[in-house]
Amino acid sequence: MTVRTLVVDDDFAVAAVHRGFLDALPDFTVVGEAHGGGEALRAVEALRPDLVLLDIHLPDMSGLEVLARLRARPGPPVDVIAVTAARERDTVRQAMSRGVDHYLVKPFTRAAFLDRMREYLARRAEVQRLGPWLDQDEVDQLLQHRPRAALPKGLSPVTLRLVVDALRGSDTDLSAQEVGDRAGLSRVSARRYLEHLVTVGKAEVLPRYGMANRPAHGYRLT
């Protein structure tokens, strides 16, 4: 099922651009637009979106107030990604304290927008895979209390997830070429991500011998 999304921005042209960006991602369906806080709250009640892309600077009320009201309403929670030019520290902290799921600062490129949406999809899928009862490790993941090590320059968290999923879906260790084939990456790119996983202790490397007894490496999650 696609993520039903409501786009909220006071600028009609900007809202149309964001809608166009989302049209490039088959996992999202834009169900409506709103250009003010009150209109956004009414649209949420009427359309029941899964996700709201929320501007902070709205003509009738702050997006922070909209966020607070969304979090106070009964019923299933709606995910909220702030997409805004507001970059003041206090504004960002208030958005975080009121439960924003991501915060994307304008201006940004189309690639940055799409990358953030893919990150959101990956996290959404991870949450949906959790069972009804959580252990401490899963609670930490859900609340994002576990500190995340910064990725080396040039590595993407979205692509890293593809590599991890490729390893997780195999009953045996995989070579860099096999991981690349499953994740849609070149062998060289796959090896960079695999070596990172080994470095941080998330995967192990095993000796393999291929044609003409040439040494190779296999990788599997630890």
Side-chain angles (χ1 to χ4, degrees):
M1 295 180 63
T2 60
V3 179
R4 293 167 45 82
T5 306
L6 174 68
V7 177
V8 181
D9 199 290
D10 67 325
D11 189 316
F12 284 73
V14 171
V17 169
H18 294 169
R19 176 190 283 267
F21 286 169
L22 287 173
D23 286 342
L25 295 171
D27 294 296
F28 292 87
T29 299
V30 178
V31 296
E33 291 182 19
H35 307 286
E39 183 184 0
L41 292 170
R42 292 190 294 273
V44 169
E45 293 303 320
L47 300 173
R48 300 290 178 176
D50 304 305
L51 171 66
V52 175
L53 300 188
L54 180 63
D55 192 8
I56 298 298
H57 298 309
L58 298 172
D60 52 345
M61 70 176 74
S62 168
L64 295 174
E65 177 63 23
V66 174
L67 178 59
R69 295 192 189 188
L70 289 176
R71 292 295 176 245
R73 59 188 282 274
V78 59
D79 294 334
V80 178
I81 298 178
V83 183
T84 178
R87 60 182 67 202
E88 301 85 0
R89 181 184 59 192
D90 288 346
T91 299
V92 176
R93 291 186 63 188
Q94 287 186 60
M96 293 172 62
S97 68
R98 298 181 190 194
V100 74
D101 293 274
H102 283 291
Y103 200 104
L104 186 58
V105 177
K106 301 175 185 175
F108 45 77
T109 64
R110 178 178 182 273
F113 179 93
L114 296 180
D115 193 52
R116 186 56 54 90
M117 294 303 109
R118 294 187 183 104
E119 287 181 18
Y120 163 78
L121 283 175
R123 173 161 171 74
R124 179 181 174 88
E126 183 177 342
V127 171
Q128 290 177 339
R129 283 196 296 266
L130 297 176
W133 302 97
L134 308 181
D135 59 26
Q136 185 62 59
D137 185 62
E138 290 170 328
V139 170
D140 290 342
Q141 291 182 47
L142 188 61
L143 296 179
Q144 295 183 313
H145 284 169
R146 175 184 296 168
R148 295 183 175 182
L151 288 177
K153 185 176 180 180
L155 298 191
S156 160
V158 175
T159 306
L160 181 63
R161 170 57 59 185
L162 294 175
V163 171
V164 170
D165 288 344
L167 291 173
R168 183 175 288 125
S170 174
D171 295 330
T172 62
D173 59 276
L174 298 175
S175 69
Q177 183 64 61
E178 291 166 334
V179 171
D181 291 343
R182 294 185 177 211
L185 304 171
S186 70
R187 178 181 59 83
V188 173
S189 294
R191 179 177 292 170
R192 289 189 64 202
Y193 285 91
L194 291 166
E195 289 175 349
H196 169 71
L197 290 171
V198 171
T199 299
V200 299
K202 298 296 185 182
E204 60 181 345
V205 60
L206 304 168
R208 301 176 89 189
Y209 291 90
M211 297 180 60
N213 207 34
R214 294 177 60 185
H217 292 128
Y219 300 84
R220 69 182 180 190
L221 296 178
T222 56

